């Protein structure tokens, strides 16, 4: 989607109003005003008026109890509006904010862009299926240039993340993921370096190498960096993303008929942190950021790792494998250990880690856990609300650590049927020695049906929350 400020409105017009009195700006006739009043009494939120060669959409903004609820209402309204516009074969629209909420047009446009995403690469008739609406304009009172740029870059990043998630394994192998990250690095202005198999072996990344053993293709370990001269953090913030480009479960093969259907999306964490780096680079955020992506498939090949194997991880910790499907924590553990070399101020990981997280919250929220200060925790939760990518924190009580203690090694990679999301988090915690927050995005990263402004497939859920957090990072009162 392309956004622009226009001096004179173009295409269809959408007026954002709170009540009928806001209509004076829309230049309606008496009859039209009466019509609108009647429609609104009947509960209409979007009221359409036909002019000769364009339509006027009147969008009634309902103020909710909390600002974040009003914001979400606007994004959803945007999704509905973009649907109607594509049905009309509209190519452009101008948004005019007549409400008292300065951010209203931007939020509406955000919902429109997020809902307008399509992944047509593999459709033979892709061109025909393409949404007609490609341009959203604002009148100059309705958005600032800075907000416009932010909106453009963030929605572009959501598209990039979704593209990566939607690519099947046949295209997006671990090496291809590294290449795609390099391309985004060039476009987005961040540095990218990829370690190949030989280097990963030399470093003894035992977790990543074990998961890769069932695959014919090599693993990769990609390091991204955004280091502006004006960074407000002295020590870097490190992002880590799970990059399992396909999860068959390995020899502990995923059981039921369709449990593998969406497992190309097991690199959603990797895509998400790449998207965050893209925005950081494009908007030149004043933060020193590093992102790490350990990537491989998880397959039951001839030489695959087996339950019973004892791995020596990159950190030196030994791990008894009891389920090869609990592979995410193994590759993440090596990346979390790698992060120590930066003496980071904060480490944030994103991973489609457990079915337990998906079962607990469904597709409506992220489970997080970690050891950060209350001030940082609060910032994350607030960002979650503001972007409506909400968070629920789970505890990392020490008793849960007992569940992953092994009789034969330091740790085992599964903790039994109870508290699955937490025991996975406890496993990761073992490899950290810095302030750290873990986000389990298993339930939210992929939709099997379109919902509001998230179409079928990869959602990039969590990206806007993370960016909101990073953009407010400096404002944090020191805790
Ligand atoms: N990639 C899966 C988690 C997942 C499940 C993501 C559903 C998205 C949707 C992960 O690697 C996995 O298989 N986890 C196992 C761990 C278990 C064996 C301890 C799980 O949650 O079942
Ligand atoms: Zn798995
Ligand atoms: Zn997995």
């Amino acid at each position: 989607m392309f956004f622009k400020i226009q001096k004179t409105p173009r295409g269809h017009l959408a007026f954002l109003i709170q009540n009928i009195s806001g209509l004076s700006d829309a230049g309606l006739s008496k009859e039209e005003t009466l019509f609108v009043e009647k429609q609104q009494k009947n509960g209409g939120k979007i009221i359409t008026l036909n002019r000769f060669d364009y339509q006027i959409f009147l969008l009634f903004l309902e103020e909710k109890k909390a600002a974040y609820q009003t914001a979400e209402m606007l994004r959803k309204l945007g999704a509905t509006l973009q649907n109607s516009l594509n049905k009309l074969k509209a190519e452009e629209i101008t948004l005019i904010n007549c409400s008292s909420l300065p951010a209203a047009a931007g939020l509406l446009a955000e919902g429109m862009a997020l809902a307008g995403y399509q992944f047509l690469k593999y459709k033979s008739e892709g061109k025909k299926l393409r949404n007609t609406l490609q341009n959203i304009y604002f009148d100059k009172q309705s958005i600032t240039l800075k907000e416009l740029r932010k909106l453009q870059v963030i929605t572009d990043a959501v598209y990039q993340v979704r593209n990566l998630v939607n690519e099947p394994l046949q295209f997006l192998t671990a090496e291809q993921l590294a290449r795609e990250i390099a391309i985004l690095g060039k476009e987005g202005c961040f540095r990218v370096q990829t370690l190949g198999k030989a280097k990963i072996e030399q470093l003894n990344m035992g977790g990543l190498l074990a998961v890769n053993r069932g695959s014919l293709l090599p693993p990769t370990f990609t390091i991204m960096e955004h280091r502006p001269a004006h960074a407000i953090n002295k020590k870097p913030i490190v992002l880590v993303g799970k990059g399992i480009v396909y999860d068959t479960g390995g020899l502990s093969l995923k059981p039921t008929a369709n449990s593998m259907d969406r497992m190309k999306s097991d690199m959603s964490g990797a895509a998400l942190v790449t998207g965050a780096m893209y925005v950081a680079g494009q908007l030149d955020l004043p933060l020193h950021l590093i992102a790490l992506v350990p990537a491989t498939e998880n397959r039951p090949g001839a030489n695959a790792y087996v339950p019973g194997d004892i791995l020596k991880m990159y950190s030196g910790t030994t791990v008894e494998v009891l389920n090869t499907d609990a592979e995410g924590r193994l590759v993440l553990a090596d990346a979390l250990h790698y992060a120590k070399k930066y003496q980071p101020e904060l480490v944030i990981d994103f991973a489609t880690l457990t079915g337990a997280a998906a079962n607990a919250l469904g597709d409506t929220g992220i489970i997080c856990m970690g050891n950060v200060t209350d001030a940082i925790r609060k910032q994350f939760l607030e960002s979650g609300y503001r972007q409506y990518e909400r968070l629920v924190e789970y505890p990392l009580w020490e008793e849960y650590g007992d569940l992953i203690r092994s009789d034969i090694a330091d740790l085992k990679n599964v903790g039994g049927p109870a508290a699955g999301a937490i025991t996975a988090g406890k496993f990761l915690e073992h490899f950290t020695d810095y302030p750290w927050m873990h986000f389990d995005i298993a339930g939210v990263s992929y939709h099997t049906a379109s919902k509001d402004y998230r179409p079928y497939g990869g959602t990039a859920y969590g990206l806007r929350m993370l960016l909101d957090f990073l953009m407010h990072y400096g404002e944090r009162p020191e805790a």
Side-chain angles (χ1 to χ4, degrees):
M1 197 67 74
F2 177 69
F3 300 106
K4 203 177 162 194
I5 295 174
Q6 287 283 5
K7 272 195 200 126
T8 39
R10 282 180 61 167
H12 300 287
L13 304 184
F15 291 89
L16 276 149
I17 47 189
Q18 264 146 321
N19 46 47
I20 304 280
S21 63
L23 282 176
S24 55
D25 292 328
L28 305 187
S29 68
K30 232 186 208 157
E31 290 78 13
E32 282 174 328
T33 311
L34 284 171
F35 171 76
V36 171
E37 277 171 357
K38 206 167 132 203
Q39 291 283 314
Q40 213 218 345
K41 271 193 197 120
N42 295 337
K45 281 187 196 151
I46 301 186
I47 298 168
T48 316
L49 298 169
N50 287 311
R51 291 289 168 90
F52 290 118
D53 52 353
Y54 65 97
Q55 301 207 348
I56 294 180
F57 297 88
L58 300 169
L59 309 174
F60 283 89
L61 191 155
E62 261 177 88
E63 273 207 68
K64 307 266 187 185
K65 266 195 211 135
Y68 77 90
Q69 292 169 319
T70 310
E72 181 65 358
M73 188 271 311
L74 281 160
R75 288 186 199 98
K76 287 183 179 165
L77 203 60
T80 313
L81 180 63
Q82 83 83 38
N83 259 321
S84 320
L85 288 165
N86 283 307
K87 278 195 193 119
L88 278 174
K89 305 256 175 273
E91 289 169 16
E92 41 190 25
I93 186 161
T94 304
L95 309 183
I96 301 157
N97 183 21
C98 305
S99 80
S100 60
L101 188 72
L107 287 161
L108 186 86
E110 182 175 59
M112 293 173 77
L114 296 179
Y117 169 84
Q118 294 174 293
F119 186 68
L120 297 170
K121 181 174 166 189
Y122 297 95
K123 283 278 195 190
S124 350
E125 306 262 311
K127 269 195 190 131
K128 272 195 206 153
L129 296 170
R130 193 170 138 95
N131 285 337
T132 50
L133 183 75
Q134 297 295 337
N135 293 303
I136 298 175
Y137 305 126
F138 298 85
D139 82 328
K140 62 180 190 317
Q141 278 83 34
S142 297
I143 200 162
T144 64
L145 261 178
K146 205 173 155 199
E147 281 164 351
L148 184 91
R149 171 94 184 119
K150 205 169 122 183
L151 178 67
Q152 186 72 64
V153 172
I154 292 176
T155 53
D156 284 353
V158 168
Y159 278 35
Q160 304 281 16
V161 172
R162 289 177 179 175
N163 283 344
L164 287 174
V165 174
N166 289 333
E167 281 290 357
L169 173 65
Q170 79 196 80
F171 173 75
L172 202 79
T173 61
E175 286 189 317
Q176 189 62 34
L177 175 60
R179 281 193 284 270
E180 296 294 323
I181 295 174
I183 294 170
L184 287 170
K186 281 221 176 81
E187 224 179 276
C189 302
F190 59 90
R191 288 204 347 230
V192 179
Q193 181 200 358
T194 295
L195 313 182
K197 188 169 182 184
K199 185 68 190 171
I200 293 167
E201 279 172 341
Q202 196 194 325
L203 291 173
N204 288 317
M205 290 193 169
L208 179 55
L209 288 167
V211 177
N212 179 252
R213 268 175 43 193
S215 170
L216 290 172
L217 306 172
T220 55
F221 189 94
T222 298
I223 303 151
M224 301 166 239
E225 185 168 24
H226 168 70
R227 186 173 200 170
H230 56 292
I232 56 171
N233 54 332
K234 284 205 185 73
K235 296 188 290 174
I237 297 174
V238 179
L239 311 176
V240 176
K242 172 176 170 180
I244 297 296
V245 287
Y246 199 88
D247 186 9
T248 67
L251 280 169
S252 314
L253 198 63
K254 288 197 175 285
T256 55
N258 39 26
S259 65
M260 251 183 251
D261 293 2
R262 54 157 293 187
M263 282 306 145
K264 65 174 184 180
S265 68
D266 214 16
M267 34 56 71
S268 296
L272 196 155
V273 301
T274 305
M277 294 303 284
Y278 177 88
V279 174
Q282 287 271 297
L283 296 182
D284 200 17
L285 296 188
L287 290 172
H288 181 195
L289 293 174
I290 288 172
L292 306 175
V293 168
T296 175
E297 316 139 75
N298 181 26
R299 273 193 195 261
N303 197 36
Y305 76 136
V306 299
D309 272 351
I310 297 168
L311 315 177
K312 187 153 187 173
M313 306 292 281
Y314 180 39
S315 70
T317 299
T318 58
V319 174
E320 179 189 11
V321 174
L322 287 175
N323 190 323
T324 62
D325 199 8
E327 84 298 338
R329 62 198 74 183
L330 300 174
V331 305
L332 286 169
D334 284 353
L336 290 171
H337 180 68
Y338 190 90
K340 290 174 190 162
K341 78 174 205 178
Y342 301 106
Q343 299 180 299
E345 187 162 299
L346 175 64
V347 176
I348 309 168
D349 81 71
F350 286 86
T352 45
L353 204 58
T354 65
N359 289 338
L361 300 187
D363 65 5
T364 312
I366 302 180
I367 288 181
C368 64
M369 54 203 98
N371 58 9
V372 296
T373 60
D374 286 343
I376 296 264
R377 175 173 286 118
K378 191 163 164 266
Q379 288 281 335
F380 272 122
L381 293 174
E382 279 173 10
S383 294
Y385 279 113
R386 270 199 295 268
Q387 301 304 321
Y388 220 71
E389 295 182 331
R390 289 167 296 176
L391 309 173
V392 173
E393 194 189 4
Y394 273 22
L396 285 171
W397 294 325
E398 63 182 70
E399 287 78 359
Y400 293 114
D402 298 341
L403 300 175
I404 50 166
R405 211 168 285 149
S406 163
D407 291 321
I408 191 171
D410 301 337
L411 297 176
K412 53 184 180 179
N413 79 329
V414 287
I422 300 181
T423 51
K426 274 315 260 189
F427 186 93
L428 299 181
E429 184 190 36
H430 185 91
F431 299 87
T432 65
D433 67 356
Y434 37 62
W436 157 76
M437 202 72 171
H438 157 61
F439 294 89
D440 193 331
I441 53 172
V444 296
S445 66
Y446 195 87
H447 278 182
T448 48
S450 154
K451 190 174 165 189
D452 301 324
Y453 49 84
R454 296 189 181 95
Y456 168 92
T459 59
Y461 194 117
L463 176 65
R464 290 181 303 106
M465 178 281 297
L466 172 62
L467 291 168
D468 187 281
F469 171 81
L470 293 174
M471 288 174 183
H472 286 85
Y473 190 71
E475 294 163 23
R476 164 177 66 97
E478 275 308 321

